[in-house]
Amino acid sequence: MMANCASTPITTFDIVSSPLFVGLTIAAFATMCAVAAIDGGISRGDNPAVRAAAWLDHEATNLIAPLLRIGVAIYFVSIVAYFHGSPIILTAELKTDATWVPVLQLAIAATVLARRSAILAALGIVVLFAYSVSRYGVFHMLDYPFFLGLAAFLSIDSIYGQERQLQGLGILRVTVGFSLLWCSVEKWLYPDWTQELLQSDLRVLLGTGLSPKLIVMGAGFVEFCLAFVLIFGRLASQVAAMVLLLVMISAIPVVGMLDLIGHLPILVVLIILAASRNPIGRIAPEPRKRWNDLDAAFAFMVSVPGFIAAYYLCHEIVYGALGRVNWTDGLVAGVFVALLLAWIVRTAPETFSRVYRVNSATA
């Protein structure tokens, strides 16, 4: 089933006032507090886990860019071959009848293999993304900013090589994380999309005896938590990448070859993120500006309703339905978006400075 983004989502107020959602939010918050405390405690010490992560990060440094370039090449060749009868742009649901698209996809696959020419492949990915926006709209493409992250990494690597690899990885990490966060919100605002998938491809989950509503909402929380840790965790970010990787791989035998091809770019990126330390979370805080381990957990509590509200308001604005939003829904959504933006404004400067400080320390 192709998701119809124009259909009306569940309102922010209806979601956050649901007893099941409130209960799962509390459970997720408790889990994130525990993860943040354990992650911070382990990451600041000198122990086998830290040494193993540092060794893996060092050994993977020279392999990251080649692996990503090969993965991108395989992906674009695969979608040209698999969808030769009905071409797609970037993903299976982004269909097109334009004959130049498969030609550009093969050109991307050819140019991405060499570092110097990879910037041309990055430009090609941006062109395909812009074409997708023109056909399917900006809102629909908010599911796929990781393609822009791929293009950014390829461009940075093509120009600077390993000198700016951490910046490229930071962009890649944030865009992949955002894509997963945004898609997890869809499980809450459009539960019917995932419930239909449960009835067709994932019937084994219904055998657990749990209600479809609990499975869908719980799956949204698992994905949201893992994506959040992927962006802001220290050692936990690598664990989150591994868990996401295992979950996606485990779904391939159930869903089939289409799932493997469709998720190939993210699978490759998750392998890379599982092997590389997170520059956003790994720098020890300054003594006078201590980063509280629980700060990330409280930020999670802002992000959950904030992302829901942002999704809901963006949808209503893009599809011209903002005038039909009642004042209660509008007020609740507006407050949560304001809190999310306030948190982003407060943390963004420190986040970017961490990335550059790590890069300077390892240069």
Side-chain angles (χ1 to χ4, degrees), residues 20 195 198 205-206 208-218:
L20 178 59
Q195 286 184 19
L198 279 175
L205 294 178
L206 296 176
T208 60
L210 300 174
S211 70
K213 183 177 181 180
L214 176 60
I215 293 174
V216 172
M217 192 170 287

Side-chain angles (χ1 to χ4, degrees), residues 215-226:
I215 293 174
V216 172
M217 192 170 287
F221 270 101
V222 170
E223 186 174 2
F224 196 98
C225 289
L226 289 171

Side-chain angles (χ1 to χ4, degrees), residues 104-354:
L104 179 56
Q105 290 166 342
L106 291 176
I108 291 172
T111 55
V112 78
L113 290 173
R115 183 174 72 85
R116 292 296 185 186
S117 60
I119 192 170
L120 299 176
L123 179 60
I125 293 173
V126 172
V127 169
L128 291 178
F129 192 91
Y131 177 57
S132 300
V133 170
S134 70
R135 283 183 60 88
Y136 291 91
V138 173
F139 186 81
H140 192 108
M141 294 306 296
L142 287 176
D143 282 355
Y144 307 113
F146 67 87
F147 281 109
L148 297 179
L150 283 175
F153 181 92
L154 293 172
S155 298
I156 292 172
D157 181 67
S158 182
I159 297 172
Y160 298 105
Q162 290 186 11
E163 181 184 349
R164 291 287 182 266
Q165 187 175 87
L166 284 174
Q167 278 81 358
L169 282 174
I171 295 171
L172 197 57
R173 180 183 299 275
V174 170
T175 53
V176 169
F178 180 89
S179 293
L180 294 171
L181 290 172
W182 201 253
C183 289
S184 66
V185 171
E186 289 180 340
K187 291 180 174 63
W188 300 328
L189 298 187
Y190 291 104
D192 291 344
W193 294 354
T194 307
Q195 286 184 19
E196 184 167 326
L197 187 63
L198 279 175
Q199 299 293 339
S200 57
D201 296 326
L202 301 176
R203 289 188 299 272
V204 64
L205 294 178
L206 296 176
T208 60
L210 300 174
S211 70
K213 183 177 181 180
L214 176 60
I215 293 174
V216 172
M217 192 170 287
F221 270 101
V222 170
E223 186 174 2
F224 196 98
C225 289
L226 289 171
F228 191 88
V229 174
L230 183 71
I231 298 175
F232 296 104
R234 294 181 175 93
L235 284 178
S237 68
Q238 293 174 264
V239 177
M242 294 177 192
V243 174
L244 286 165
L245 185 63
L246 290 174
V247 169
M248 291 186 180
I249 291 176
S250 66
I252 292 172
V254 179
V255 182
M257 181 60 67
L258 180 61
D259 194 59
L260 172 60
I261 295 175
H263 283 145
L264 183 58
I266 288 190
L267 291 176
V268 173
V269 172
L270 288 176
I271 292 173
I272 291 171
L273 296 183
S276 55
R277 301 174 72 187
N278 183 6
I280 295 174
R282 82 189 234 203
I283 282 291
E286 299 173 4
R288 295 185 180 180
K289 200 174 182 181
R290 182 172 180 80
W291 175 269
N292 191 333
D293 292 328
L294 296 182
D295 207 24
F298 284 106
F300 171 81
M301 285 299 290
V302 174
S303 298
V304 170
F307 265 86
I308 292 172
Y311 189 108
Y312 176 70
L313 289 180
C314 284
H315 179 278
E316 300 304 273
I317 291 171
V318 169
Y319 291 102
L322 191 61
R324 296 196 296 271
V325 176
N326 64 55
W327 72 269
T328 304
D329 290 329
L331 179 62
V332 170
V335 168
F336 285 138
V337 168
L339 289 173
L340 179 62
L341 290 175
W343 172 69
I344 291 173
V345 169
R346 186 178 75 85
T347 59
E350 181 180 358
T351 298
F352 285 115
S353 70
R354 289 181 176 204

Side-chain angles (χ1 to χ4, degrees), residues 76 79-80 87-90 94-108 127-128 131-132 135:
F76 281 105
I79 62 176
V80 171
I88 65 171
I89 308 172
L90 286 171
L94 304 175
K95 302 184 183 299
T96 181
D97 54 4
T99 56
W100 60 268
V101 169
V103 176
L104 179 56
Q105 290 166 342
L106 291 176
I108 291 172
V127 169
L128 291 178
Y131 177 57
S132 300
R135 283 183 60 88

